[in-house]
Amino acid sequence: MQINSPTQAPDLSKGVRDCGACQIRHRAVCARCEPDELARLDEIKYYRTYEAGQTVVWAGDRMDFVASVVTGVATLTQTMEDGRTQMVGLLLPSDFVGRPGRDIAPYNVIATTDLMMCCFRKKQFEALLGSTPHVSQRLLEMTLDELDAAREWMLLLGRKTAREKIASLLAIIARRDASLNLRPSRGRMVFDLALTREAMADYLGLTLETVSRQMSQLKRDAVIELEGKRRIIVPDFDRLIDEAGDDSDGGFLA
């Protein structure tokens, strides 16, 4: 089985070919790069776009690229021998996909929304790491942040109530949106929730009915406001954090 070809959708990457103007530049693997390092990355980068629902790579396939998510959301899933599937992670804008030194993809990567990725040819990227210390340092930081987040997620899945799980997920997405847009994570916050209720249920280990009920209760208690199908308004972010059961600095890494 091979990696799916990118969709033939319009080229969403036209506005971000200049690394200096990229909307994820301050958070991505290239965040600490000097101009000469950016130029070297630019020589091996290309963009891929995927439609919502399209598989980027299947677990067990050879992955010949690494990438940063520029826009959109993807899920990481694992399928058991009996066919059961578990969502094990979310890929949000600026998250890194793939691992240098590992040729085989450990998870299915599936586009939840229309997705654009800034890709680097894997062998060339691996060769570049030895001579671009700022990329290596940032990649290590991102890997350690991912490890911390996974440990926090174990707590969420094992100990938190359904209401706390929903609030925690909303807080994570709100913080990431604020970080990408260089806004503070406090006070009133507005963001778009790309995940469907079904995807939230899969990720949080809840039923669809429980997710819908808890979202309605958070709305009824004025913790959140819903505008249309996707837009979430948080009147007071500190109150959402309280509902999530996190400490004063939020607990979860954004």
Side-chain angles (χ1 to χ4, degrees):
M1 191 177 295
Q2 298 296 320
I3 297 173
N4 281 0
S5 299
T7 177
Q8 296 302 310
D11 185 2
L12 303 176
S13 66
K14 290 181 178 178
V16 296
R17 292 195 183 281
D18 178 5
C19 291
C22 179
Q23 58 263 52
I24 64 168
R25 169 78 168 84
H26 61 290
R27 285 191 53 96
V29 71
C30 55
R32 300 184 183 275
C33 285
E34 299 293 342
D36 62 319
E37 294 173 322
L38 278 180
R40 296 178 66 186
L41 282 173
D42 190 61
E43 293 175 355
I44 63 171
K45 81 175 183 184
Y46 58 98
Y47 292 94
R48 282 182 172 177
T49 57
Y50 297 87
E51 295 177 347
Q54 188 174 8
T55 300
V56 178
V57 60
W58 294 102
D61 281 358
R62 179 170 293 277
M63 193 168 179
D64 61 359
F65 68 96
V66 294
S68 293
V69 176
V70 179
T71 60
V73 177
T75 59
L76 300 175
T77 64
Q78 274 190 314
T79 302
M80 301 174 66
E81 290 184 0
D82 60 4
R84 287 178 293 169
T85 298
Q86 174 64 50
M87 190 186 303
V88 297
L90 285 178
L91 294 172
L92 303 173
S94 78
D95 282 340
F96 194 73
V97 187
R99 290 289 180 268
R102 177 184 291 176
D103 293 330
I104 303 301
Y107 308 113
N108 305 316
V109 180
I110 301 172
T112 300
T113 66
D114 289 346
L115 185 71
M116 182 171 70
M117 303 172 73
C118 177
C119 304
F120 305 98
R121 294 174 179 84
K122 190 164 174 294
K123 295 301 182 184
Q124 291 171 290
F125 184 84
E126 290 172 346
L128 199 78
L129 287 178
S131 57
T132 50
H134 288 108
V135 176
S136 300
Q137 180 184 10
R138 179 59 182 151
L139 186 59
L140 176 60
E141 290 174 351
M142 296 176 75
T143 302
L144 293 174
D145 285 348
E146 185 179 323
L147 176 60
D148 287 341
R151 288 167 173 165
E152 293 285 357
W153 201 253
M154 290 173 62
L155 170 65
L156 181 150
L157 293 178
R159 294 298 181 183
K160 290 195 174 186
T161 66
R163 184 182 177 99
E164 289 173 334
K165 289 179 180 181
I166 298 292
S168 294
L169 180 59
L170 295 178
I172 290 170
I173 296 173
R175 277 202 202 89
R176 175 61 62 87
D177 182 80
S179 176
L180 287 168
N181 291 286
L182 300 177
R183 295 194 300 260
S185 298
R186 61 175 181 270
R188 185 177 187 270
M189 300 180 69
V190 181
F191 61 94
D192 290 329
L193 180 64
L195 297 174
T196 64
R197 299 290 190 268
E198 291 87 349
M200 292 173 67
D202 287 344
Y203 192 39
L204 296 170
L206 301 171
T207 65
L208 174 59
E209 293 75 13
T210 297
V211 171
S212 297
R213 183 169 60 252
Q214 294 299 330
M215 288 287 287
S216 296
Q217 289 180 357
L218 288 171
K219 177 184 177 183
R220 189 161 51 247
D221 294 340
V223 178
I224 62 172
E225 299 171 11
L226 304 178
E227 187 178 285
K229 293 183 177 180
R230 291 282 183 261
R231 179 140 296 193
I232 305 290
I233 300 170
V234 181
D236 183 356
F237 189 64
D238 284 343
R239 187 177 177 196
L240 180 63
I241 292 299
D242 289 341
E243 293 290 346
D246 294 336
D247 56 26
S248 59
D249 65 3
F252 289 101
L253 294 170

